[in-house]
């Protein structure tokens, strides 16, 4: 007797309408990618006799003004292809900064509601940017409460907690698609040192360092990955001690980077070197670079530049020639009332002058 196919247990959950909705959202993300020009790789001049070239990858020119535009697009694409995002789903994120601004923009593009869980004390300018992109802000008392509240809101409304700190490292395809590392190496192709000695990034989620570090190994490139971290952050002490459970009980004063815990997206085993940068050094460097570019850069860019200065000093001491690349993460205009306000800086107890002097001596910058 032949088997009867019709008797096989069969549950069909296919939904052509949902697949069409997802396909349209993927198309919108791809269209946005095609409309977006690549970001510039700016060359900053160092003394010619040093034989060292320095480049800034200017991520502030994305339509939402920061490196996080790449991440937001990748996170939403990841949610769509995994079947997590459906019509009417409220998307929730734990972020008071550039990620929330970029995600609000993408959510509006896809016609889904967006809520950013932010701590009390978030600047009015950041809230205004999120709301201008169509997002809504939900306030909690402290930064430590943000993730738990995002989970609670998602459960309450049947929404999706996008969770950048977990998904950043896996949402971006480190082999190529929407990959900042590919862009950097393509833009360096005709430069005197097309394979840099170092790429320097700071860590917020850890997703950018994971993407670049994996790409370097995948392409068998000798470039070192250096992660710059800030005072109030668990990344540096956790990396040094090999402790993924390391904690810091203070909030970072450099917006967008530094975390009270080692986030899941941070991959310590692909980081070659870490530099811990004092907060006043980050702000001194942000102002120093801003004066030479003729436009303001954010504090995280300053953090990167201080680490670059340390690496350049080491290269000079060893007589090495080569190139370094770091990121201009976002515009300093977002921090006019803080990092670029002398009264605010003084209230933090910071003296920027000694660090400015060090940078002028060790990293005398011009425009290439």
């Amino acid at each position: 007797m032949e088997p009867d196919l019709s008797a096989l247990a069969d549950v069909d959950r296919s939904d052509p309408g949902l697949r069409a909705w997802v396909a349209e959202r993927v198309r919108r993300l791809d269209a946005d990618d095609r409309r977006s020009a690549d970001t510039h790789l700016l060359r900053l001049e160092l003394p010619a006799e040093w034989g060292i070239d320095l480049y800034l990858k200017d991520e502030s020119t994305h339509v939402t003004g920061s490196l996080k535009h790449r991440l937001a697009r990748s996170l939403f694409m990841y949610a769509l292809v995994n079947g997590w995002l459906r019509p009417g789903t409220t998307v929730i994120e734990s972020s008071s900064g550039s990620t929330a601004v970029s995600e609000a923009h993408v959510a509006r593009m896809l016609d889904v509601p967006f809520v950013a869980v932010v701590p009390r004390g978030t600047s009015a300018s950041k809230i205004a940017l999120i709301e201008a992109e169509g997002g809504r802000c939900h306030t909690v008392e402290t930064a430590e409460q943000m993730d738990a509240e995002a989970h609670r809101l998602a459960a309450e409304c049947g929404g999706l907690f996008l969770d950048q700190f977990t998904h950043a490292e896996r949402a971006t395809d480190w082999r190529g698609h929407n990959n900042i590392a590919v862009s950097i190496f393509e833009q360096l192709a005709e430069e005197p040192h097309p394979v840099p000695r170092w790429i320097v990034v700071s860590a917020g989620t850890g997703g950018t360092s994971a993407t670049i570090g994996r790409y370097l190994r995948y392409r068998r490139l000798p470039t070192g990955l250096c992660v710059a971290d800030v005072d109030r952050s668990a990344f540096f002490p956790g990396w040094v001690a090999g402790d993924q459970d390391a904690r810091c009980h203070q909030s970072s004063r450099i917006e967008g980077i530094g975390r009270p815990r080692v986030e899941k997206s941070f991959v310590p085993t692909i980081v070659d070197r870490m530099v811990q940068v004092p907060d006043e050094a980050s702000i001194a460097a942000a102002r120093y670079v801003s004066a030479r570019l003729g436009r303001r850069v954010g504090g995280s860019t300053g953090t990167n530049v201080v680490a670059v200065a340390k690496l350049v000093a080491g290269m000079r001491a060893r007589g090495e020639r080569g190139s370094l690349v770091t990121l201009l993460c976002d515009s300093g205009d977002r921090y006019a009332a803080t990092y670029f306000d002398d009264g605010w800086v003084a209230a933090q107890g910071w003296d920027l002058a000694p660090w400015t002097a060090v940078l002028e001596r060790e990293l005398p910058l011009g425009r290439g």
Side-chain angles (χ1 to χ4, degrees), residues 19 24 32 54 84 86 107 174 182 212 247 258 313 326 334 336:
R19 288 293 289 273
E24 169 58 17
D32 178 71
L54 174 59
W84 300 342
R86 294 167 173 264
W174 42 269
V182 173
I212 292 174
R247 293 288 188 272
T326 192
R334 294 180 172 183

Side-chain angles (χ1 to χ4, degrees), residues 24 29 32 44 61 64 66 95 97 100 111 133 151 171 178 211 250 255 269 283 303 316 322 368:
E24 169 58 17
L29 289 174
D32 178 71
L44 297 179
T61 56
T64 54
S66 81
S95 169
D111 295 324
E133 293 290 356
H151 277 293
N178 193 29
T211 297
Q250 293 177 296
E255 289 193 36
T269 49
I283 304 311
T303 304
R316 290 182 62 206

Side-chain angles (χ1 to χ4, degrees), residues 104-229:
H105 173 87
V106 176
R108 182 172 61 175
M109 184 196 314
L110 302 184
D111 295 324
V112 294
F114 178 77
V115 177
V117 178
V118 304
R120 192 171 304 282
T122 299
S123 69
S125 61
K126 282 290 179 69
I127 290 174
L129 287 170
I130 295 166
E131 292 177 343
E133 293 290 356
R136 178 171 68 84
C137 292
H138 177 89
T139 303
V140 294
E141 289 301 319
T142 68
E144 288 73 20
Q145 297 171 331
M146 291 167 66
D147 279 9
E149 183 65 2
H151 277 293
R152 188 193 69 78
L153 286 176
E156 183 179 86
C157 71
L160 171 65
F161 176 28
L162 212 49
D163 196 0
Q164 59 168 324
F165 295 107
T166 294
H167 296 127
E169 57 88 9
R170 64 198 71 173
T172 300
D173 182 357
W174 42 269
R175 286 157 294 204
H177 179 69
N178 193 29
N179 184 333
I180 190 172
V182 173
S183 176
I184 287 170
F185 280 92
E186 287 178 348
Q187 291 177 320
L188 284 172
E190 300 301 326
E191 297 301 306
H193 304 286
V195 178
R197 175 64 187 89
W198 291 101
I199 294 179
V200 179
V201 300
S202 44
T205 62
T208 301
S209 61
T211 297
I212 292 174
R214 287 166 171 165
Y215 183 81
L216 294 175
R217 285 156 178 75
Y218 176 59
R219 291 298 182 190
R220 306 188 301 278
L221 296 164
T223 302
L225 173 65
C226 176
V227 173
D229 199 24

